[in-house]
Amino acid sequence: MHARPFQQIDVFSHRPGDGNPLAVVMEAGDLGAAEMQRFAAWTNLSETTFLLPPTEAGRAGGADYRVRIFTPGGELPFAGHPTLGTCHAWLHAGHRPREAGAIVQECGLGLVRIRQQGGTLAFAAPPLRRSAPNPALLALVTGALGLRPQQILAAQLLDNGPRWLGLLLGDAPTVLGLQPDHARLKDLGQAVGVVHVAPTAGDTQSPGVTVRAFAAPMGNPEDPVTGSLNASLAQWLIAEGLAPRQYLVAQGECLGRAGRVHISQDDDGQVWVGGQAVTCIEGRALL
């Protein structure tokens, strides 16, 4: 065992306790997957990440560092709040990217671009695969959420590494009032993201989009603030004209959090998912 630099970051918040916590273990290049998984299960956070040097191919592609991302139950090829939180930890530790203000992360999904603007980090949403859900699955999930079919305005299966069933609902109180049967969702093996887009969503001074993420199949009944889900929701909703090109998301209220996710689509059609992050714990982890 070795004492390794360790940080715990709150992501999508400027104030500790309002966002989604992430454990980051640095100097993890000699750790195996089983050791990483064991530590991630011990932290019992939605995700724990491990910083490593880029692979030869990653370095050739411009990667500044490589990350492996674990939930308590398994490894993910990509996830949003671990991407921003790991980047924040890497910068906080004194590292600097090859190009000022532009960081390249290597992960299981490939290379992910991250931009730094003031106190905000934003990642380029990775390519999205989406399709209409199986009607039988949609009916089962609708029942597990306690919804009636007519309350769902639109639905899509979304896959950018993590796989979500995205559901668009007609009002925020319905989203916030959901009390899902998490055991049933776990049995179905389907993570679900529920979203409402207000008519005023284009005014980014205050949150106009409400999101909740139910991730029992990933070991987390409800995720406080979810970058990968917000990325895929944005790509779907903007492409279908169901959301403006820029908006501000509120997520986490039902868990006592106040997460804020900034969504924007640039002129090239790239969706960016951003937010603030703050270091809450810093020290060394023995593993």
Side-chain angles (χ1 to χ4, degrees), residues 80-203:
H81 106 272
T83 292
L84 296 187
T86 302
C87 183
H88 172 89
W90 185 77
L91 292 169
H92 182 77
H95 298 286
R96 293 293 176 264
R98 300 183 189 185
E99 180 183 346
I103 302 97
V104 179
Q105 170 186 283
E106 182 182 7
C107 61
L109 197 65
L111 300 180
V112 177
R113 291 178 292 145
I114 305 167
R115 64 186 185 188
Q116 183 182 27
Q117 295 179 323
T120 300
L121 295 169
F123 67 84
L128 174 69
R129 295 181 295 275
R130 63 184 179 97
S131 60
N134 180 289
L137 174 65
L138 180 58
L140 291 170
V141 169
T142 300
L145 293 174
L147 288 169
R148 300 184 303 277
Q150 58 268 32
Q151 292 177 286
I152 299 174
L153 304 182
Q156 285 275 280
L157 281 172
L158 309 167
D159 185 349
N160 60 5
R163 297 180 68 251
W164 298 89
L165 173 59
L167 302 177
L168 176 64
L169 304 188
D171 62 82
T174 299
V175 174
L176 296 173
L178 291 173
Q179 297 184 348
D181 183 340
H182 296 293
R184 182 61 176 145
L185 291 176
K186 185 175 182 179
D187 288 342
L188 292 172
Q190 183 60 65
V192 183
V194 185
V195 59
H196 166 68
V197 181
T200 57
D203 178 5

Side-chain angles (χ1 to χ4, degrees), residues 31 56 59 72 81 94 108 129 184 187 189 192 198 200 206 218-219 226 246 286:
L31 290 174
E56 185 175 340
R59 187 177 292 107
H81 106 272
R129 295 181 295 275
R184 182 61 176 145
D187 288 342
V192 183
T200 57
S206 59
M218 302 178 188
T226 319
Q246 294 188 58
L286 187 65

Side-chain angles (χ1 to χ4, degrees), residues 4 25-36 50 52 68 287:
R4 305 169 194 272
V25 177
M26 310 184 84
E27 300 178 11
D30 62 329
L31 290 174
E35 295 167 300
M36 294 179 184
F50 299 85
L52 308 95
R68 294 184 70 175
L287 72 157

